[in-house]
Amino acid sequence: MHQALERLAQSLCHRQPLMHTLSEDLYDAVMESFEREGRPRWLPIDRAGKILQQSGRLAASIDSEADNDQAVAGTNVVYARIRQQGGTTRPHTIRSRYNKVAGL
């Protein structure tokens, strides 16, 4: 019984393997959301292709990491937060990619 309690105490102190597994599970869940286009499904868009995957930059930037105290999956792409949480952006100019007026 003493050995079992000692192993339990050690596993509580050395959580990195557990956190690593959790971070991989978080990563898999995020990537599955990209594949399924949300869970529940994200709102539709007015262009061809998968939602949030026009360039693939956001999905490709997802990474996971873990240490003894935390498991994390996320991105450092600046626009990810507003895509996830909504909100407003500062005023900015939108320029046509092809220097044409939209709709003409």
Side-chain angles (χ1 to χ4, degrees), residues 25-43 45 47 49-63 73-77 79-81 83-84:
D25 289 346
L26 289 168
Y27 174 86
D28 291 343
V30 171
M31 297 314 290
E32 187 175 331
S33 286
F34 274 101
E35 183 62 33
R36 292 184 178 187
E37 298 185 81
R39 293 178 301 172
R41 284 188 60 82
W42 296 321
L43 296 175
I45 56 174
R47 66 165 177 76
K50 289 191 158 197
I51 300 171
L52 292 182
Q53 296 186 52
Q54 185 172 5
S55 70
R57 178 178 177 219
L58 182 57
S61 72
I62 304 299
D63 195 12
T75 178
N76 62 357
V77 172
Y79 61 83
R81 179 179 299 241
R83 295 285 188 245
Q84 176 68 24

